[in-house]
């Protein structure tokens, strides 16, 4: 049983480079030599989606600690905290990664832009977010003042889907 | 305060694999059925990759002529059918190889969405392969791979904030023993009646660039008490067999129990395995 389980364990990766079976050598081949067979694995490592986005928030917080332009505002702490809570509520393994920027009016802005779809979503630090999304052919979605605790609505996730 | 994060926001699952293990390799049965299988999954899993078995002989002197290094089978002996994400990586994948038929979900969302698809793929694929009467299913396999990211300086990481201090699924030596540790174990536990399932649990920490990640790999292998030799036995539980659907549910529940016995409540809440207590 251990043999079959081991075979399974090797095989049940999405990206197995090779399956290698070892069998006893016939007596005519018996020798004292040891063969070392190295098979390099094309390992796919998914990015640390959540941490990458939280790192981006921290970077923006550092870069825009003070207003960059006359008359502009920097996002308040609550806007960053809302953005963080939103990130941690997203199914980041099945949607595309957003680009995160800050706007001169104090908004923490998320943008998804892929193919013919585009989503613009923002936080001002009042515990809510607003978004607008569109796709070629006239498909549009929009909603204002969605509580952060409610998370992203399914139709928004569908538009941001990675497939 | 640094904390562990599910690697993908509300999801920690990198991949879920569901599989059937057959008594013998499927090799010779693949080739005649592969066109029908491709057509069956043309919409859902449009990318097709054939596989061939290659025999490699390693020796200290040429005991076999060079021709022996050629493929040992001239036909297709396995395949990958996949659906790709926009970035070209697979979102889900159906594979027949050696004595395994497996489905890999790399955009896992929830069990109640994944299991029906998995069972449906297996049923449709096997109805085209037509192998069960001569090559029965001997084991059902379910594997979860979870990943957590440490959101802080890797040198300050430990099992604190990740594992329960009293978890029975890791040795006491790894608890709060710094950032680098691993735990590899295997045990048998009852799944249905007296029939036991092999659980393999491999937990490894490592650096991905400058980020500390923890991979939790839980593999459940249910060796069937009786071999399944028909679609009806496998999918409808005919002749007193337990359906694959029910077995997978039990394996899934067992995985949930392992995670509950392993992770701290904060992470179980984050990934939706338990609910937060009302304030």
């Amino acid at each position: 049983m251990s043999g079959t389980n081991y075979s399974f364990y090797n095989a049940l990766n999405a990206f197995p480079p090779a399956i290698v079976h070892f069998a006893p050598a016939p007596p005519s081949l018996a020798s004292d030599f040891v063969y070392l067979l190295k098979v390099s694995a094309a390992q796919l490592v998914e990015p640390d989606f959540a941490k990458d986005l939280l790192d981006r928030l921290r970077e923006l917080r550092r870069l825009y600690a003070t207003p960059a332009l006359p008359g502009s505002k920097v996002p308040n702490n609550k806007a960053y905290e809302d953005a963080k809570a939103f990130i941690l509520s997203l199914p980041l393994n099945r949607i595309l990664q957003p680009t995160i920027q800050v706007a001169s009016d104090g908004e923490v802005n998320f943008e998804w832009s892929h193919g013919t779809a585009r989503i613009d979503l923002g936080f001002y630090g009042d515990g809510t977010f607003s978004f607008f999304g569109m796709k070629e052919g006239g498909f549009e979605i929009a909603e204002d003042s969605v509580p952060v605790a409610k998370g992203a609505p399914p139709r928004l996730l569908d538009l941001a889907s990675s497939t | 305060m640094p904390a562990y994060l599910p690697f993908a926001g509300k999801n920690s699952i990198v991949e879920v694999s569901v599989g059937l293990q057959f008594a013998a390799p499927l090799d010779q049965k693949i080739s005649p059925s592969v066109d029908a299988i491709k057509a069956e999954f043309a919409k859902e899993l449009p990318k097709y990759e054939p596989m061939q078995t290659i025999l490699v002989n390693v020796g200290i002197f040429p005991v076999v002529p060079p021709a022996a290094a050629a493929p040992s089978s001239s036909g297709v002996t396995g395949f990958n059918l996949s659906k790709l994400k926009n970035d070209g990586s697979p979102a889900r994948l159906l594979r027949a190889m050696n004595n395994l038929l497996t489905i890999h979900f790399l955009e896992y969302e929830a069990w109640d969405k994944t299991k029906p698809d998995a069972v449906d793929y297996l049923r449709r694929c096997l109805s085209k392969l037509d192998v069960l009467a001569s090559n029965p299913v001997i084991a059902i396999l379910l594997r979860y791979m979870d990943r957590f990211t440490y959101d802080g300086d890797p040198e300050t990481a430990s099992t604190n904030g990740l594992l329960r201090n009293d978890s029975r699924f890791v040795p006491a030596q790894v608890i709060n023993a710094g950032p680098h540790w691993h735990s590899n174990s295997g045990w048998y536990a009852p799944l249905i009646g007296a029939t036991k399932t092999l659980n393999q649990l491999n937990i490894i920490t490592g650096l991905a660039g400058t980020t500390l990640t923890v991979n939790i790999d839980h593999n459940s292998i249910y060796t069937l008490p009786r071999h399944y030799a028909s679609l009806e036995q496998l999918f409808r539980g005919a002749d007193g067999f337990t359906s694959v659907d029910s077995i997978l549910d039990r394996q899934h529940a067992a995985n949930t129990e392992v995670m509950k016995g392993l992770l701290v409540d904060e992470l179980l809440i984050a990934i939706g395995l338990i609910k937060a207590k009302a304030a």
Side-chain angles (χ1 to χ4, degrees), chain B residues 94-198:
Chain B
L94 172 66
R95 169 182 292 146
M97 189 170 63
N98 194 24
N99 66 335
L100 291 169
L101 181 63
T102 57
I103 304 148
H104 306 258
F105 295 91
L106 292 102
E107 286 190 326
Y108 181 81
E109 187 181 356
W111 181 242
D112 60 3
K113 294 184 179 176
T114 302
K115 186 193 70 175
D117 281 357
V119 173
D120 181 57
Y121 286 6
L122 291 173
R123 183 187 54 75
R124 286 160 58 199
C125 191
L126 280 176
S127 67
K128 302 292 180 196
L129 266 177
D130 192 26
V131 293
L132 284 169
S134 57
N135 188 7
V137 173
I138 60 168
I140 312 284
L141 321 153
L142 177 64
R143 181 180 186 183
Y144 276 91
M145 280 178 272
D146 288 74
R147 181 169 158 199
F148 294 90
T149 310
Y150 186 67
D151 190 26
D153 176 357
E155 287 308 310
T156 67
S158 73
T159 57
N160 189 31
L162 176 75
L163 303 184
R164 294 179 179 281
N165 285 340
D166 60 351
S167 177
R168 64 191 179 94
F169 293 109
V170 292
Q173 287 90 334
V174 307
I175 299 295
N176 294 324
H180 304 294
W181 53 273
H182 62 92
S183 171
N184 306 87
S185 60
W187 69 94
Y188 288 89
L191 190 76
I192 298 171
T195 310
K196 292 186 174 180
T197 297
L198 173 61

Side-chain angles (χ1 to χ4, degrees), chain B residues 36-82:
Chain B
I37 294 170
K38 266 167 64 179
E40 177 70 29
F41 292 99
K43 280 189 181 170
E44 298 141 285
L45 304 166
K47 186 181 179 191
Y48 166 70
E49 296 165 285
M51 288 191 210
Q52 258 185 317
T53 302
I54 295 179
L55 179 66
V56 180
N57 288 304
V58 181
I60 53 171
F61 49 85
V63 291
V64 288
S72 58
S73 171
S74 57
V76 175
T77 55
F79 62 80
N80 277 336
L81 286 168
S82 55

Side-chain angles (χ1 to χ4, degrees), chain A residues 13-163:
Chain A
N13 283 305
F15 310 96
I19 300 293
V20 180
H21 288 280
F22 293 96
S28 61
L29 286 178
S31 78
D32 293 331
F33 286 87
V34 173
Y35 300 99
L36 182 63
L37 182 61
K38 289 187 176 178
V39 181
S40 55
Q43 187 75 27
L44 180 86
V45 178
E46 291 274 16
D48 290 289
F49 296 119
K51 186 171 186 302
D52 288 350
L53 294 179
L54 297 191
D55 284 346
R56 174 62 178 159
L57 285 184
R58 283 187 280 261
E59 181 187 28
L60 290 171
R61 214 165 182 163
R62 182 176 54 79
L63 290 173
Y64 297 98
T66 55
L69 297 169
S72 66
K73 292 199 307 191
V74 296
N76 58 40
N77 285 340
K78 183 72 167 65
Y80 284 113
E81 291 307 312
D82 286 348
K84 178 181 176 181
F86 181 73
I87 287 167
L88 296 177
S89 74
L90 290 172
L92 294 166
N93 57 336
R94 59 185 184 88
I95 63 170
L96 293 164
Q97 292 291 87
T99 303
I100 307 179
Q101 301 284 358
V102 297
S104 60
D105 62 353
E107 179 195 40
V108 177
N109 178 266
F110 285 42
E111 183 188 324
W112 284 264
S113 184
H114 62 99
T116 59
R118 185 167 178 272
I119 301 168
D120 191 273
L121 185 150
F123 302 88
Y124 285 96
D126 61 356
T128 72
F129 63 91
S130 300
F131 66 87
F132 171 77
M134 58 178 290
K135 201 171 179 180
E136 200 170 73
F139 176 82
E140 288 185 2
I141 54 171
E143 200 170 337
D144 286 328
S145 302
V146 183
V148 171
K150 210 172 155 188
R155 59 206 172 108
L156 176 69
L157 297 177
D158 288 345
L159 194 56
S161 169
S162 57
T163 52

